[in-house]
Amino acid sequence: MLLERCKGPVDLGDKPLTQAQLERLWIADRERLLSCARRHLALRDFYADRDAGLEGKP
């Protein structure tokens, strides 16, 4: 899961959006961004812990 490619921003299409549609798409974008950031941080922490273990650091 940590190596999954992050989803890009949602497609807004080429038609005018209502306020409700815009808010729903904005929420989806934020969820994707946060999910991606959390995965990258988890992967970074995994490698840091692994490397520290290989170097004999607690």
Side-chain angles (χ1 to χ4, degrees):
M1 180 179 145
L2 295 180
L3 297 177
E4 270 182 39
R5 186 180 192 116
C6 293
K7 295 179 181 177
V10 296
D11 182 6
L12 298 178
D14 59 354
K15 297 180 179 155
L17 300 171
T18 66
Q19 181 70 28
Q21 290 170 318
L22 186 63
E23 289 174 7
R24 185 175 39 80
L25 293 171
W26 181 82
I27 290 169
D29 266 349
R30 296 297 298 171
E31 288 172 348
R32 288 180 178 194
L33 178 63
L34 291 172
S35 172
C36 184
R38 287 182 186 121
R39 243 189 353 263
H40 282 257
L41 290 173
L43 185 59
R44 181 206 60 193
D45 292 346
F46 166 79
Y47 283 123
D49 288 345
R50 182 203 64 183
D51 292 349
L54 292 172
E55 295 172 3
K57 296 179 184 174

